[in-house]
Every structure is written in C-alpha cells, then in structure tokens.
C-alpha cells in the first residue's frame, strides 16, 4: 500500500523559532518521488521541492531544509528562524511510477509574532 | 502565461442540481488532474487524464464525470450534486517529459451543496 503520514495536525511557534514538519511514507517501489507543497491562507498550492528515491542528500534552500532518510522512510521539512509568512498548511506527497500524487493530510503551521 | 485557471471560484448548489467545473491550462501540458480537498483528509484524486480524449478514475471517482475534448481543458461534472460533494476542488497539470514532474495547481473552486 502507498501511504503518506503527517502525524502533526497543527504546530504553533513564535517567530524566529525553528520548526520541523514530519513526513513518513510507505511504498514497496524502489523508484519514487517525494514532494512538499505549501498552501498559504489564500488557498493555492505552491510547489516547494521534489526528491527522488535515489538521492538521499539533504537539501537547503534559504531558511528551508529537507532531510530524506530511506532507512526510516521519512522526508522531514525544517524551517529555520520561522516568520509569520510561513504560516500555511504544508503537504507532503508521494509519487510512484503511476504519475499520481498521494498526499498526506497536511500540517497546519501557525507562526505568531 | 496564466498557468492553470479554474472557473468558477465559488459555487453554491442545491442537492440534485448539476454543474461543470472548468480547468484550463496554457502550458501545453499533457497530464491533467482533478482533486478534492476536505478538512483533515488532504487532497484526493478524483479523475485524471494523460492526454486529449483520455480519462481515468482516481481514488474517489463516484458521483463525478470528466471530459478532455481539448488538450488545454479538463472538465469535471457533477450530474446530481450531493452534500457530501461539498469541498474545495483543485485542478492540476504536468508535462509529459517525465512522470515525476511537479504538478502545477489551479487556485481552487469552493463548492457548497445544500
């Protein structure tokens, strides 16, 4: 079965705190991709990152970083020095060779000033 | 480029009414998708299309029909709306270059069925 679990339903932090959003996935495939999308209060979905199953290197983009560990089937997302503009719902998603995305249930992040 | 657009943005229906949601993309993408988003459930795939004239069922297809008569348009139809179809609907598209491309999403349509 293919499944994505985001156990954290909602996280609240104060501005400048670091925060990590967890994502655990299940798949029997050896080739797959993992994604993170951001959904701000305005409602649209914004692509953040794609990572394939053969590339376990961590990635950093500004204040965002991603940690992919196949041994634990996790693809966690960390925001360093969070800002109010980071407040959104964040979705982790899995894509197999069927080209269909399987989404997690999302984590709502609230960053307070 | 407008990207992916959806019409309408909001709609209120009565139970039993029908309607069609329109998704249009100007990026010449081969693949198009319809999702619904419900609280606490993430996005779930309703139907998708891998090219003009082709459609396929996703995870939650019951109560919906789709058509892809033109490459740039993907229509989602509700023949007899039910309150359980109250949701936010998202359309997405992706090019065929590789199936692992990210999907580009439209702004969503908020549908309420009374």
């Amino acid at each position: 079965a293919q499944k994505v679990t985001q156990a954290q339903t909602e996280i609240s932090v104060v501005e400048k705190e670091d925060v990590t959003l967890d994502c655990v996935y299940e798949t029997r495939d050896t080739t797959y991709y993992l994604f993170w999308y951001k959904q701000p209060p305005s409602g649209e979905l914004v692509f953040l990152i794609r990572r394939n199953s053969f590339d376990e290197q961590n990635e950093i983009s500004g204040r965002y970083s991603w940690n992919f560990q196949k041994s634990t089937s996790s693809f966690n997302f960390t925001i360093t020095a969070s800002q109010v503009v980071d407040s959104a719902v964040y979705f982790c998603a899995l894509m197999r060779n069927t080209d269909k995305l399987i989404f997690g249930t999302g984590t709502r992040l609230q960053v307070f000033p | 480029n407008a990207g992916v657009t959806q019409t309408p943005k909001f709609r209120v229906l009565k139970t039993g009414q029908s309607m069609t949601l329109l998704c249009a993309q100007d990026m010449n993408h081969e693949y198009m998708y319809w999702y619904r988003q419900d609280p606490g459930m993430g996005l779930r795939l309703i139907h998708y299309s891998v090219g003009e004239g082709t459609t396929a069922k996703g995870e939650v297809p019951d109560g919906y029909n789709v058509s892809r008569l033109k490459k740039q348009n993907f229509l989602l139809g509700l023949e007899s709306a039910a309150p359980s179809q109250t949701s936010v609907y998202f359309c997405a598209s992706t090019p065929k270059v590789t199936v692992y491309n990210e999907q580009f999403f439209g702004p969503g349509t908020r549908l309420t069925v009374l």
Side-chain angles (χ1 to χ4, degrees):
Chain A
Q2 325 298 318
K3 187 179 178 182
V4 176
T5 300
Q6 294 180 258
Q8 303 153 307
T9 306
E10 188 163 339
I11 301 175
S12 295
V13 298
V14 177
E15 222 174 5
K16 297 185 183 177
E17 282 187 37
D18 297 348
V19 58
T20 296
L21 309 182
D22 297 334
C23 173
V24 174
Y25 63 92
E26 295 176 29
T27 180
R28 292 190 184 135
D29 293 338
T30 55
T31 301
Y32 54 89
Y33 272 72
L34 296 163
F35 297 77
W36 276 94
Y37 280 87
K38 175 182 180 180
Q39 186 176 42
S42 51
E44 76 275 19
L45 281 140
V46 178
F47 165 77
L48 295 178
I49 190 172
R50 174 186 60 193
R51 172 69 70 207
N52 76 59
S53 53
F54 299 107
D55 182 2
E56 286 194 72
Q57 279 195 340
N58 291 337
E59 178 144 348
I60 298 175
S61 176
R63 296 183 297 106
Y64 294 172
S65 62
W66 291 269
N67 178 258
F68 176 31
Q69 292 196 338
K70 288 180 76 171
S71 61
T72 57
S73 297
S74 65
F75 186 42
N76 296 338
F77 173 30
T78 297
I79 302 174
T80 302
S82 59
Q83 300 176 1
V84 172
V85 293
D86 295 327
S87 297
V89 179
Y90 291 87
F91 291 98
C92 180
L94 167 70
M95 182 182 283
R96 303 162 55 216
N97 58 1
T98 57
D99 63 68
K100 295 192 283 288
L101 274 173
I102 300 165
F103 283 87
T105 52
T107 297
R108 180 179 299 278
L109 173 65
Q110 294 197 64
V111 182
F112 294 98
Chain B
N1 286 352
V4 181
T5 58
Q6 293 183 230
T7 308
K9 289 186 169 53
F10 303 94
R11 185 72 187 267
V12 178
L13 289 179
K14 294 181 179 178
T15 297
Q17 287 185 319
S18 63
M19 77 162 294
T20 300
L21 306 184
L22 170 63
C23 175
Q25 51 93 6
D26 60 2
M27 298 175 283
N28 202 35
H29 285 174
E30 289 287 342
Y31 293 16
M32 296 186 75
Y33 308 82
W34 275 108
Y35 294 89
R36 60 177 289 172
Q37 182 181 17
D38 302 295
M41 302 194 70
L43 279 80
R44 293 180 294 168
L45 183 64
I46 304 171
H47 285 281
Y48 66 104
S49 168
V50 299
E52 183 178 324
T54 71
T55 63
K57 293 180 180 180
E59 182 186 357
V60 288
D62 294 342
Y64 305 95
N65 55 75
V66 288
S67 64
R68 183 102 181 265
L69 299 179
K70 294 183 178 180
K71 185 178 182 179
Q72 63 268 33
N73 295 337
F74 194 28
L75 280 63
L76 177 71
L78 287 73
E79 290 188 350
S80 179
S84 60
Q85 293 178 304
T86 294
S87 187
V88 180
Y89 292 85
F90 286 96
C91 176
S93 71
T94 193
K96 191 183 177 183
V97 174
T98 166
V99 297
Y100 299 113
N101 280 319
E102 67 269 24
Q103 294 182 8
F104 296 80
F105 284 83
T109 295
R110 186 173 295 275
L111 174 66
T112 301
V113 183
L114 302 176

